[in-house]
Amino acid sequence: MRQSGPWLRAAEGAMLLGPDGTPAPTVFAEMSALAASTGAINLGQGFPDEDGPAEVLEAAARAIRDGFNQYPPGRGTPDLRLAVAEHQQRWYGLDVDPDREVLVTAGATEALAATLLALVEPGDEVITFEPFYDAYGALIGLAGGTHVTVPLTAPDFLPDEATLRAAFSDRTRAVLVNTPHNPTGRVLPTEVLRVVVELATRHDAVIITDEVYEHLTFDVPHVPIATLPGAAERTVTISSAGKTFSTTGWKIGWLTAPPALVDAVTSVKQFLTFTGGAPFQPAVAVGLRLPDAVFTGIAADLAAKHAVLASGLAAAGFDVLQPDGGYFVIADAAPLGHDDARAFCLELPALAGVVGVPVSAFVRPDHAHGYRSLVRFAFCKRRSVLDDAAARLARLDRSVTAR
C-alpha cells in the first residue's frame, strides 16, 4: 500500500496505517476513549442513543422471524429498490427505475467507496468541500485519486464561487457534494449547486452526492442536485437509513444513478460486501413508506434537541454557529480564550465532563489554521443526556474564568 511519509493520511487524526503497519486511532476514537475513561458525556461521535420508529424496528424483527436471514440479491431486495425509487419520486419528483438505477449498499460509506473505486483512476482529481467527512480523503486515496478541496469558512460555511471555479480542471473526474453537510450542518443553497452542475458539465465530471441527512433539516429545504437541469445524467445520489431512522448499526444505504453508472459501481461493490443486511432491507422499505408526518416529526425532534445543546453552549460563552440540519452543531471556543480546539477538547472532560471533536479533524493539516478554535458537538442524543450536557457546559465559563 502506498504511504505518504510514515502515515497514509485521510485528514488530520484520521490515519489509516501507522509506521508499523497497524491501524492508527482516529480523533473520534481518541475522544470516545477519553469519554469512556473519564465518565464524560460523549458528544463527539454522531450516533443516536435511542431507537427510531417502532414500525421499522418491528419490521426487522418480523423479517428475522420469517426467515429473511440469508443472502439477499446483490443489488438489494426488489421491494427495497422499489421503495427507494418511490421515495425519490415522492419527495423530489425524480423518476428512478428500481431495477436498473438503484443499488443497495452496506451503508452510505460503502456506496461512496464503491463509487470512487469504480470511477476514479490514479491521477484523477476529486473535488470536495472542506471540512469533509473523514472517509472522503481516505477513499479518494484508496482509488489513487488526487483530493482537491474547496473551503467552507465560518461563520456561514459557504464556498467562494471563484475558488470553486478554480478548483475544476481538465483532470477533474468527480466532485463529491455533501449536503446537508457534516460537520458544519450547512444545507448548500441551490445557487451553489447550480454552479457545481455547470462546472461538472463543462469538465465532463461525475457528481457524487452524500445526502444521508436529507430528512434532518430545520426549516431549510433539501434540494437534491439530481433535480437540477443537466445534473441527473451525471449524478450518483447516495443516502442511507441510518441517520433518518436512528439505525446506524444496520448499515443499509443505497445509491441511484443512470444505469451505466450503477453497473460500474456494482462491479466493485460485489467484491466489497457483495450483499448484506437481509432482514433490515424489508424494514427500511417499511421506513421509507412511512407517512410524511413521521419524517417531519423526526426533524422537529432533532431541532428541539439542537436548541437544548446550543443554549448550554451559549451559556458557557461559546459562539454557536446555527446549523441548517444534521446531527451536529459547531461552537467557537475562542471567546473562552481557547484558540486550539484539539487541545481544548482534550481538556474539556475535566473542565465540564463533556467530549466534543475539533473541526480540524475534518480538514487537511495544512488548512487547519482556519478552523483552529472550532469544536463539533453531536446533539442526536436522548433529551435527558442533552439536558445534563447543557447544564455541565453552562458551568464551563466559570471554571475557565477561575483558572
Side-chain angles (χ1 to χ4, degrees), residues 331-389:
D332 191 345
L336 292 167
H338 289 267
D339 62 0
D340 184 339
R342 184 182 177 90
F344 177 63
C345 285
L346 291 172
E347 295 180 38
L348 194 55
L351 293 173
V354 174
V355 165
V357 169
V359 174
S360 60
F362 300 88
V363 303
R364 293 174 164 182
D366 57 335
H367 297 172
H369 61 278
Y371 307 89
R372 282 185 57 84
S373 60
L374 302 182
V375 182
R376 188 194 80 170
F377 295 95
F379 51 84
C380 51
K381 307 297 179 181
R382 296 190 308 276
R383 179 65 181 264
S384 60
V385 172
L386 294 172
D387 285 336
D388 188 4

Side-chain angles (χ1 to χ4, degrees), residues 70-76 103-115 117 250-255 265-278 281:
Q70 310 308 322
Y71 295 130
R75 292 200 176 205
L103 175 64
V104 177
T105 59
T109 301
E110 190 200 31
L112 290 163
T115 300
L117 290 170
W250 289 10
K251 300 300 292 180
I252 300 296
W254 54 84
L255 61 84
V265 176
T266 302
S267 70
V268 172
K269 185 262 190 298
Q270 66 184 333
F271 296 113
L272 296 176
T273 61
F274 175 59
T275 191
Q281 292 197 32

Side-chain angles (χ1 to χ4, degrees), residues 133-171:
Y133 174 50
D134 62 325
Y136 296 168
L139 295 173
I140 293 166
L142 288 172
T146 299
H147 190 185
V148 177
T149 60
V150 175
L152 304 177
T153 55
D156 295 329
F157 296 118
L158 295 174
D160 172 73
E161 183 174 336
T163 304
L164 176 57
R165 290 183 178 278
F168 280 78
S169 76
D170 292 340
R171 296 175 59 196

Side-chain angles (χ1 to χ4, degrees), residues 33-41 349-350 353 355:
L34 187 61
S37 65
T38 62
I41 297 174
V355 165

Side-chain angles (χ1 to χ4, degrees), residues 41-244:
I41 297 174
N42 186 1
L43 302 184
Q45 287 191 285
F47 57 85
D49 61 359
E50 55 188 344
D51 290 329
E55 302 95 323
V56 177
L57 304 181
E58 175 52 34
R62 184 168 60 249
I64 291 172
R65 291 193 300 267
D66 290 347
F68 289 91
N69 301 305
Q70 310 308 322
Y71 295 130
R75 292 200 176 205
T77 62
D79 191 51
L80 178 54
R81 287 187 277 113
L82 177 60
V84 169
E86 292 170 350
H87 171 275
Q88 296 302 93
Q89 174 58 236
R90 167 186 171 189
W91 291 99
Y92 310 123
L94 289 167
D95 291 323
V96 175
D97 183 338
D99 295 322
R100 303 176 64 235
E101 297 181 326
V102 180
L103 175 64
V104 177
T105 59
T109 301
E110 190 200 31
L112 290 163
T115 300
L116 289 165
L117 290 170
L119 303 180
V120 175
E121 298 290 338
D124 287 345
E125 293 180 349
V126 180
I127 298 171
T128 74
F129 293 108
E130 187 175 36
F132 53 86
Y133 174 50
D134 62 325
Y136 296 168
L139 295 173
I140 293 166
L142 288 172
T146 299
H147 190 185
V148 177
T149 60
V150 175
L152 304 177
T153 55
D156 295 329
F157 296 118
L158 295 174
D160 172 73
E161 183 174 336
T163 304
L164 176 57
R165 290 183 178 278
F168 280 78
S169 76
D170 292 340
R171 296 175 59 196
T172 302
R173 173 56 176 152
V175 54
L176 202 173
V177 179
N178 175 207
T179 182
H181 183 261
N182 174 20
T184 70
R186 181 62 62 236
V187 171
L188 294 176
T190 302
E191 54 266 29
V192 172
L193 302 182
R194 290 186 189 280
V195 173
V196 170
V197 175
E198 173 201 332
L199 294 168
T201 302
R202 180 183 306 169
H203 294 274
D204 195 24
V206 177
I207 302 169
I208 305 167
T209 69
D210 178 350
E211 303 182 19
V212 297
Y213 299 101
E214 61 183 315
H215 289 293
L216 307 180
T217 62
F218 313 141
D219 299 320
V220 179
H222 167 62
V223 177
I225 205 166
T227 64
L228 301 182
E233 59 263 33
R234 65 178 62 252
T235 298
V236 179
T237 301
I238 294 170
S239 192
S240 77
K243 302 301 192 293
T244 300

